[in-house]
Amino acid sequence: MILEVSNLSHGFGDRVIFDNVSFRLLKGEHIGLVGANGEGKSTFMNIVTGQMEPEEGKVTWAKNVKVGYLDQHTVLTAGLTIGDVLRSAFEDLYAMEERINTICNMLEDVTDEVEMNALLEEMGELQDLLDSHDFYSIDIKVEEIARAFEILPLGLDKDVSDLSGGQRTKILLAKLLLQKPEILLLDEPTNYLDANHIEWLKRYLQDYDNAFILISHDIPFLNDVVNIIYHMENGALERYVGNYDKFEEIYAVKKNQLEAAYRRQQQEISELKDFVARNKASVATRNMAMSRQKKLDKMDIIELAKEKPKPEFNFKEARAAGKVIFETNDLVIGYSKDKPLSKPINLRMERGEKIALVGTNGIGKTTFLKSVLGLIPSLEGTANLGDYLYKGYFEQEVKPSNNSCIEEIWETFPSYSQYEVRSALAKCGLTTKHIESKVKVLSGGEQAKVRLCKLINIETNILLLDEPTNHLDVDAKDELKRALKEYKGAILLVCHEPEFYEDIVDKIWNLEEFSLLR
């Protein structure tokens, strides 16, 4: 047993996240941790890694297990370089080197032979550890992993605050692999990764000899790498052997069996109550009525799980746009004239077109969107917007506000009544407890639903969507796909999931064709 979680209970306010759940991680298990947005997957990871204390229950790790955790919310400190972050994978070795240097300084003043021998022995042991871990080849290891993840062209001296979401994820993943942990905990690792690196990560996890726990809403990816599913729902945690498709198959059978048993029991309860009501007053049948009542009192009542609200995304459409949505003329994108991201780009989008914008991480997909919208200036050339545009923009990353969900929607739609605000949020799959919570305490998927709520309630004829599927659960992703297929306006979509966008778009633009980073 590598990890055992016993009788775990936890909640936030009156919201129950876990109710007396148990979990185990065995050697070689590749676990997929799944469930709808807000069921507590990231909270579970924070509890097992010791970043959060559970209200009740016990978390027990096997002795001397080295755990590596890729957290979707990790913030990289401005001022650190890429090289600094990668080298921090070897913090324990650098600490040993520092201790060796301290001992060397101490030896200059030590006169006692016993103390000197003890210090020399400690220094020898530390030096052996450094040698056995190839400490003096760290820079070579860092360069090798940076090359494998295509980080090297960015420059190891680049400040991490200047990175895109995908570049940040790659660097955190590279750091994790440099640490060589025995156990991997991965919270939505494919978010922001391009197709090439998702494929690379898939092969790595398929060949991984040790155990890992993976949170992901990317079903094809899950199917390819896991052999155990733990499903989180309504405060419970259930274990299933097999990949995600196998889990869905067994889950559907169990659900149908439970519903059938519930209907049979309700019928029996109804008949027993009816018999008691008709016969308890009669002397001749009172004993039989009491017997039926006892049976009712002892019965273990089957309860069906409360159905989670399913989101409904229906985009409001404005009047038709002019023929041309936008046109770029020798547009060069980037944030610095010294380091442009692209060659001159000449692209034209017309009314009603649905286009996927693809390319490797850091190539400038988000920068292109912002340049077209005029949110950042172009380095050269122009991006000209067409006439009669009603734009809807979904940003890849937005810092969550301190507002409640209700306040967040009211700021955008001040004329809405409270009923209209609550109704709009409920249609996006949020419960009353979510709606009354602050945005910043919601899960990534719930926050995305609040942002989508704003987007679907404004009239648009062009949607510019930057990785809208990140953090969304399966139901929300399927509903968003349906809504985008039905939308009559134009769509420019940045997405790393071909299985999501291929049924929506009629054209693909690969920004690698214009990149200076290739």
Side-chain angles (χ1 to χ4, degrees):
M1 189 87 69
I2 297 164
L3 168 65
E4 186 170 18
V5 177
S6 309
N7 310 118
L8 175 69
S9 294
H10 195 76
F12 296 108
D14 60 350
R15 242 178 102 194
V16 175
I17 305 295
F18 307 117
D19 182 18
N20 195 33
V21 304
S22 295
F23 173 94
R24 64 182 185 187
L25 177 65
L26 305 177
K27 187 176 180 182
E29 284 189 334
H30 293 177
I31 287 177
L33 191 59
V34 304
N37 293 138
E39 289 288 353
K41 300 181 295 294
S42 295
T43 301
F44 180 83
M45 288 288 214
N46 286 331
I47 288 172
V48 300
T49 54
Q51 296 179 42
M52 189 181 285
E53 283 291 322
E55 290 170 3
E56 291 179 31
K58 190 177 179 185
V59 176
T60 308
W61 283 95
K63 287 183 180 178
N64 304 318
V65 171
K66 190 175 180 182
V67 179
Y69 181 28
L70 181 69
D71 179 3
Q72 59 170 298
H73 302 296
T74 299
V75 176
L76 293 176
T77 309
L80 289 178
T81 66
I82 292 172
D84 292 335
V85 173
L86 294 179
R87 281 188 287 272
S88 70
F90 305 100
E91 280 175 338
D92 52 342
L93 298 182
Y94 283 116
M96 289 180 199
E97 184 193 38
E98 193 174 326
R99 175 60 181 163
I100 288 173
N101 293 334
T102 301
I103 291 172
C104 287
N105 291 332
M106 290 170 64
L107 286 170
E108 293 177 10
D109 302 320
V110 172
T111 55
D112 182 78
E113 190 175 338
V114 173
E115 186 182 353
M116 183 179 290
N117 287 337
L119 287 170
L120 286 169
E121 186 176 344
E122 183 187 351
M123 188 167 74
E125 288 172 357
L126 290 171
Q127 189 61 58
D128 288 343
L129 283 169
L130 291 184
D131 291 339
S132 66
H133 286 89
D134 298 323
F135 176 71
Y136 301 102
S137 303
I138 282 177
D139 287 342
I140 295 169
K141 290 179 186 176
V142 165
E143 197 168 306
E144 282 176 354
I145 198 94
R147 186 176 289 108
F149 277 88
E150 297 175 13
I151 298 166
L152 208 55
L154 298 173
L156 295 179
D157 57 348
K158 185 180 179 72
D159 193 301
V160 292
S161 59
D162 298 331
L163 300 174
S164 71
Q167 289 167 336
R168 188 176 67 239
T169 300
K170 284 199 290 188
I171 285 157
L172 290 169
L173 196 52
K175 176 193 168 184
L176 192 64
L177 300 184
L178 283 169
Q179 288 173 319
K180 292 187 177 175
E182 288 128 324
I183 307 302
L184 289 173
L185 306 179
L186 305 169
D187 192 352
E188 301 204 45
T190 61
N191 280 1
Y192 310 116
L193 286 184
D194 54 58
N196 291 342
H197 288 96
I198 289 174
E199 186 62 30
W200 184 93
L201 180 60
K202 182 176 85 175
R203 290 196 301 271
Y204 180 86
L205 293 178
Q206 284 171 337
D207 296 337
Y208 194 67
D209 290 332
N210 295 320
F212 64 74
I213 304 173
L214 166 70
I215 295 173
S216 180
H217 297 296
D218 185 336
I219 304 308
F221 184 78
L222 271 171
N223 272 330
D224 285 336
V225 301
V226 305
N227 53 31
I228 300 287
I229 291 285
Y230 270 91
H231 181 227
M232 251 177 214
E233 187 177 47
N234 296 314
L237 195 56
E238 292 286 333
R239 186 176 190 270
Y240 297 81
V241 176
N243 65 7
Y244 188 87
D245 283 349
K246 188 67 179 173
F247 146 70
E248 277 205 314
E249 185 185 313
I250 299 169
Y251 177 76
V253 170
K254 283 177 70 174
K255 188 177 180 184
N256 289 337
Q257 288 172 341
L258 185 66
E259 287 172 353
Y262 173 80
R263 288 192 296 271
R264 286 195 301 271
Q265 188 182 66
Q266 288 298 307
Q267 178 65 32
E268 185 182 4
I269 289 170
S270 176
E271 290 169 359
L272 288 169
K273 283 182 175 178
D274 180 60
F275 185 91
V276 171
R278 284 187 293 103
N279 292 282
K280 65 183 178 182
S282 168
V283 175
T285 57
R286 188 181 299 154
N287 287 341
M288 290 170 65
M290 287 175 63
S291 174
R292 299 290 199 284
Q293 184 61 53
K294 282 179 183 176
K295 186 175 181 181
L296 271 170
D297 293 341
K298 289 180 180 178
M299 195 176 281
D300 288 329
I301 304 298
I302 297 170
E303 291 185 11
L304 295 180
K306 199 173 178 182
E307 284 289 325
K308 289 285 188 290
K310 295 275 176 78
E312 292 177 30
F313 301 133
N314 293 298
F315 291 92
K316 291 186 177 180
E317 296 185 24
R319 58 158 288 183
K323 185 181 180 185
V324 176
I325 300 292
F326 70 82
E327 190 168 12
T328 67
N329 297 299
D330 294 332
L331 176 71
V332 176
I333 60 172
Y335 291 86
S336 162
K337 290 203 172 185
D338 299 333
K339 290 185 178 178
L341 291 173
S342 74
K343 297 179 281 191
I345 300 171
N346 291 288
L347 291 170
R348 174 186 169 103
M349 184 177 192
E350 296 191 358
R351 179 178 58 228
E353 284 191 316
K354 296 183 178 181
I355 299 170
L357 192 63
V358 303
T360 57
N361 296 131
I363 210 156
K365 300 185 292 293
T366 298
T367 309
F368 179 80
L369 284 186
K370 289 184 174 179
S371 299
V372 166
L373 286 165
L375 297 174
I376 57 173
S378 59
L379 299 183
E380 290 178 29
T382 58
N384 300 311
L385 293 171
D387 297 323
Y388 312 116
L389 296 186
Y390 293 81
K391 303 182 290 292
Y393 177 40
F394 186 93
E395 286 189 74
Q396 184 185 119
E397 291 184 49
V398 174
K399 187 177 179 183
S401 77
N402 204 35
N403 288 338
S404 70
C405 294
I406 293 172
E407 291 165 342
E408 190 75 8
I409 300 304
W410 247 333
E411 279 188 2
T412 307
F413 305 100
S415 65
Y416 276 22
S417 67
Q418 177 155 158
Y419 171 78
E420 287 172 318
V421 171
R422 286 177 175 273
S423 177
L425 286 163
K427 279 184 178 176
C428 291
L430 295 163
T431 66
T432 301
K433 287 179 181 176
H434 296 142
I435 289 167
E436 293 171 354
S437 298
K438 288 188 182 294
V439 176
K440 67 179 183 181
V441 305
L442 299 180
S443 72
E446 290 162 342
Q447 288 179 19
K449 288 172 185 174
V450 174
R451 291 162 58 202
L452 282 168
C453 182
K454 291 183 187 180
L455 194 60
I456 65 175
N457 283 288
I458 58 171
E459 291 187 351
T460 61
N461 53 27
I462 165 67
L463 294 173
L464 301 105
L465 309 174
D466 195 353
E467 299 283 10
T469 61
N470 282 354
H471 308 301
L472 288 184
D473 57 39
V474 176
D475 287 340
K477 210 183 284 190
D478 287 346
E479 173 59 11
L480 180 60
K481 185 175 185 175
R482 181 206 61 76
L484 292 177
K485 285 168 75 172
E486 289 187 5
Y487 182 69
K488 300 295 189 294
I491 297 172
L492 185 57
L493 170 66
V494 175
C495 183
H496 64 272
E497 298 182 61
E499 65 277 2
F500 179 82
Y501 65 72
E502 281 173 349
D503 294 339
I504 298 169
V505 305
D506 40 52
K507 193 182 288 186
I508 294 174
W509 288 347
N510 190 338
L511 271 196
E512 290 179 36
E513 294 172 19
F514 303 98
S515 176
L516 290 172
L517 302 177
R518 296 180 72 189

